[in-house]
Amino acid sequence: MDHFSGYIFDLDGTIYLGAEAIEGAVETIHYLQGLDKKLLFLTNKTIDSRENYLKKLAKLGIQVGLNNILNPALVTIHYLQKHHPNAKVYVIGEDILKNELLASEITFASTPEETEVVVVSWDREFHYRHLDFAYQAIKQGAEVIATHPDRTCPMPGGDIPDCGGMIGAIEGTAGIKITTIMGKPSILTALTALDILGVKAEACLMSGDRLETDIRMGEEAGMSTALVLTGVSTKDDLVGSSVKPTYVLDSVHDIYLQRTACKQINEATP
């Protein structure tokens, strides 16, 4: 698994859980950095900034640059700038996301009537006023996009509700299906990630803990994939799943351990 040119890693449930690195994850990243591999860390979370992810990785002992981190906010900004330049946008999301959009000169709407795009994201303060504003804007013809589809987010004490809850509330109220998704498993994120890395899909390994997002995205983009069993998806989830990872790993540490195991076998062979 160390023959790829590029490596994309999910963060929560793959590299760390909460404030703690998953055992062996830091060693594996250092190993790949020592081989001069191209690395990208990819998260579907929108409740923290890329700068804060950079600081968190540094505290864990992983030194990378801002261009090594991709989140749905960045993909959403690129999408809005390309497809809806100068559009007035209503955002269901937390201040971190809103500040990133404002910093990129995205214009926020004040009323449902003037709203051209509704952006749905994870909001731990989601309430009825958000739902009503979005519903009224959709009735006026606003397009709806979502930053990511995750139903839950893995945490040390157990998973918690994520953006899927906000999506479900709007779909149920407006009677629509939100099909334009920025984050994993969207091809928009996959293409952005490969463009940042500068590698072709077949030369890249996507590692993550979710079959329905991480592994599906990698598979549909033409990458090899590694499901790690340190987060959400389990071996039981593989039974009957249409998504089939290239590798199933106890953790990302296996990327390093398989190399050392092969080395020991080769050294023992006459």
Side-chain angles (χ1 to χ4, degrees), residues 107-174:
T107 303
F108 286 3
S110 300
T111 67
E113 291 75 20
E114 69 177 8
T115 301
E116 297 168 79
V117 183
V118 175
V119 176
V120 184
S121 191
W122 186 8
D123 191 340
R124 289 170 294 183
E125 299 296 327
F126 181 69
H127 51 69
Y128 186 82
R129 183 172 57 82
H130 293 139
L131 181 61
D132 182 49
F133 192 113
Y135 175 60
Q136 302 303 330
I138 292 166
K139 286 201 301 181
Q140 298 290 331
E143 180 183 343
V144 190
I145 66 175
T147 57
H148 60 294
D150 297 38
R151 293 178 294 103
T152 60
C153 177
M155 299 293 283
D159 55 0
I160 60 175
D162 204 322
C163 186
M166 284 87 258
I167 292 173
I170 291 171
E171 289 182 338
T173 301

Side-chain angles (χ1 to χ4, degrees), residues 34-49:
L35 296 177
D36 290 325
K37 301 296 186 178
K38 296 181 178 180
L39 307 181
L40 185 69
F41 297 93
L42 179 57
T43 178
N44 260 6
K45 264 190 178 180
T46 54
I47 60 172
D48 219 338
S49 66

Side-chain angles (χ1 to χ4, degrees), residues 14-262:
T14 301
I15 299 298
Y16 55 69
L17 277 174
E20 301 295 327
I22 289 169
E23 185 176 356
V26 176
E27 182 180 24
T28 299
I29 298 304
H30 290 171
Y31 167 66
L32 294 173
Q33 288 176 322
L35 296 177
D36 290 325
K37 301 296 186 178
K38 296 181 178 180
L39 307 181
L40 185 69
F41 297 93
L42 179 57
T43 178
N44 260 6
K45 264 190 178 180
T46 54
I47 60 172
D48 219 338
S49 66
R50 290 193 299 147
E51 288 80 5
N52 284 342
Y53 281 113
L54 193 67
K55 294 176 183 177
K56 181 171 185 176
L57 288 172
K59 287 182 179 179
L60 297 177
I62 297 173
Q63 301 294 333
V64 293
L66 195 61
N67 60 334
N68 296 110
I69 299 174
L70 178 62
N71 67 354
L74 188 58
V75 181
T76 301
I77 289 166
H78 288 173
Y79 179 86
L80 290 171
Q81 289 174 338
K82 180 178 180 180
H83 298 281
H84 298 281
N86 304 316
K88 292 187 176 181
V89 177
Y90 177 65
V91 181
I92 294 174
E94 301 199 2
D95 287 344
I96 287 286
L97 173 64
K98 292 177 181 177
N99 291 338
E100 288 194 67
L101 294 179
L102 286 172
S104 297
E105 300 183 347
I106 303 299
T107 303
F108 286 3
S110 300
T111 67
E113 291 75 20
E114 69 177 8
T115 301
E116 297 168 79
V117 183
V118 175
V119 176
V120 184
S121 191
W122 186 8
D123 191 340
R124 289 170 294 183
E125 299 296 327
F126 181 69
H127 51 69
Y128 186 82
R129 183 172 57 82
H130 293 139
L131 181 61
D132 182 49
F133 192 113
Y135 175 60
Q136 302 303 330
I138 292 166
K139 286 201 301 181
Q140 298 290 331
E143 180 183 343
V144 190
I145 66 175
T147 57
H148 60 294
D150 297 38
R151 293 178 294 103
T152 60
C153 177
M155 299 293 283
D159 55 0
I160 60 175
D162 204 322
C163 186
M166 284 87 258
I167 292 173
I170 291 171
E171 289 182 338
T173 301
I176 61 170
K177 181 69 175 177
I178 300 175
T179 58
T180 305
I181 308 288
M182 301 294 110
K184 300 173 292 182
S186 172
I187 192 66
L188 295 172
T189 290
L191 293 176
T192 301
L194 290 171
D195 185 55
I196 291 172
L197 287 173
V199 301
K200 294 182 178 180
E202 57 268 26
C204 191
L205 178 68
M206 173 72 218
S207 299
D209 68 305
R210 291 176 181 264
L211 278 171
E212 72 273 18
T213 54
D214 304 311
I215 307 307
R216 181 181 295 279
M217 184 192 75
E219 182 180 83
E220 292 181 351
M223 305 178 202
S224 293
T225 58
L227 175 69
V228 297
L229 302 177
T230 48
V232 173
S233 295
T234 66
K235 284 185 178 179
D236 290 340
D237 294 326
L238 289 166
V239 179
S241 173
S242 61
V243 181
K244 302 296 183 183
T246 312
Y247 308 100
V248 179
L249 312 178
D250 289 331
S251 75
V252 292
H253 199 204
D254 286 351
I255 295 174
Y256 171 76
L257 293 178
Q258 60 86 31
R259 174 60 177 173
T260 57
C262 289

